[in-house]
Amino acid sequence: ETGVTQSPTHLIKTRGQQVTLRCSSQSGHNTVSWYQQALGQGPQFIFQYYREEENGRGNFPPRFSGLQFPNYSSELNVNALELDDSALYLCASSQNTYTQGGEAFFGQGTRLTVV
Amino acid sequence: AQKVTQAQTEISVVEKEDVTLDCVYETRDTTYYLFWYKQPPSGELVFLIRRNSFDEQNEISGRYSWNFQKSTSSFNFTITASQVVDSAVYFCALSEANRGSTLGRLYFGRGTQLTVWP
C-alpha cells in the first residue's frame, strides 16, 4: 500500500452537476498531483499543488479546480460536469524539493461516471 | 508533442515466456526522470522504477530488468519468465526537471496491456 487514499471510490453524477473528490497524501509528502485517466488511455496531468499553492496545470479548463490543505491533503472540484469527464481520477503524492521531484505514489483512484 | 510513446497496445504471452515492453520518450531537458508503473485491474498505479537521465546503467530487480539508452531515447522493460500475476497495464512515464518544468509532473504513454496465459 502507498498510504495515499482517495474517496469516494466510485461516483455517478448527472451532466451539469458539480463533484468534489478527495485525496489524503502519504505522510511526509508535500506535493499532490491529480490525473485524469480516460478508458484505454494513459493518465493526463490536471494540476499539481505544492505547499498549498497550485504549481502547474495541464490542458484542462477552469471548471477543474483544486485545493491543498495544511496537512497536504487535497480536493479536486469539477463544475458543470460533462459526459467526457467520465474517467478514473488519480491522486499522486510526492516529496518534491526546489531542485528535484520525488517518486509519485498513487491512490486507488475515484471512478467518476457522468450520465 | 507526444513525450512518451508505447507503440505496443497489447501483448499476449504464455507463462514462463520472456516479454519486453518498449518505451520511447522525447524531451529537450537535460535533466529528466523515467518511470515504469504497473496498473492492475483495481486501478491503482504501482511504482516499479525511477531512473534519472545521468544514469544509464541497466537495472535488474528479480524477474524485472530495464534497459535505458539515451542514444535512442528508449527505456525498455523486460519481464523474464512471465507469470499470470504479471497481467496488467504497464505505463512508461517521463518527468522533466529543468527550470520552468513542474517538478514531478508525469507524462505518461498510452500503456501496454500485458496478458500472461497459464
Side-chain angles (χ1 to χ4, degrees):
Chain A
E1 288 193 7
T2 64
V4 180
T5 57
Q6 293 185 241
S7 61
T9 54
H10 294 83
L11 201 52
I12 300 175
K13 288 287 191 177
T14 303
R15 190 171 48 183
Q17 285 188 314
Q18 178 265 344
V19 68
T20 297
L21 309 182
R22 295 179 174 82
C23 173
S24 176
S25 59
Q26 187 165 314
S27 177
H29 285 182
N30 58 15
T31 303
V32 173
S33 302
W34 286 91
Y35 292 83
Q36 180 195 66
Q37 185 180 12
L39 198 61
Q41 304 293 318
Q44 298 292 315
F45 177 75
I46 303 175
F47 44 55
Q48 181 187 92
Y49 279 83
Y50 173 65
R51 294 183 177 179
E52 301 179 57
E53 294 197 1
E54 188 177 293
N55 186 46
R57 188 177 184 94
N59 188 25
F60 281 82
R63 59 189 184 82
F64 285 77
S65 63
L67 283 173
Q68 187 180 32
F69 301 100
N71 66 355
Y72 300 134
S73 65
S74 177
E75 286 182 356
L76 163 65
N77 299 289
V78 187
N79 294 322
L81 284 166
E82 300 177 359
L83 297 179
D84 284 349
D85 296 333
S86 296
L88 179 67
Y89 288 85
L90 294 161
C91 164
S93 79
S94 56
Q95 177 63 29
N96 290 350
T97 66
Y98 287 110
T99 58
Q100 182 172 321
E103 290 91 318
F105 293 93
F106 286 80
Q108 82 281 12
T110 294
R111 185 161 299 281
L112 172 65
T113 302
V114 182
V115 297
Chain B
Q2 188 173 13
K3 291 182 179 283
V4 178
T5 302
Q6 294 179 256
Q8 304 151 309
T9 306
E10 295 183 26
I11 299 177
S12 289
V13 298
V14 177
E15 214 170 16
K16 298 184 182 177
E17 285 186 20
D18 298 348
V19 58
T20 295
L21 310 182
D22 298 333
C23 173
V24 174
Y25 64 92
E26 175 187 332
T27 180
R28 293 181 180 178
D29 282 15
T30 55
T31 303
Y32 54 90
Y33 301 89
L34 296 165
F35 301 79
W36 275 95
Y37 283 87
K38 174 182 180 179
Q39 188 175 45
S42 60
E44 180 176 343
L45 284 169
V46 178
F47 168 80
L48 296 178
I49 189 171
R50 172 183 189 248
R51 300 307 301 270
N52 72 55
S53 53
F54 300 108
D55 181 4
E56 286 193 71
Q57 275 194 333
N58 292 331
E59 181 158 340
I60 298 175
S61 176
R63 295 185 298 108
Y64 296 169
S65 62
W66 291 270
N67 183 348
F68 176 28
Q69 292 194 346
K70 285 179 77 170
S71 61
T72 55
S73 296
S74 65
F75 185 46
N76 297 337
F77 173 32
T78 297
I79 301 175
T80 303
S82 59
Q83 300 176 1
V84 173
V85 294
D86 295 328
S87 297
V89 181
Y90 290 85
F91 289 97
C92 179
L94 165 74
S95 176
E96 296 167 326
N98 284 7
R99 186 181 298 274
S101 303
T102 299
L103 285 177
R105 171 180 178 170
L106 292 167
Y107 297 88
F108 285 88
R110 296 185 66 169
T112 298
Q113 169 70 61
L114 173 65
T115 302
V116 182
W117 298 99

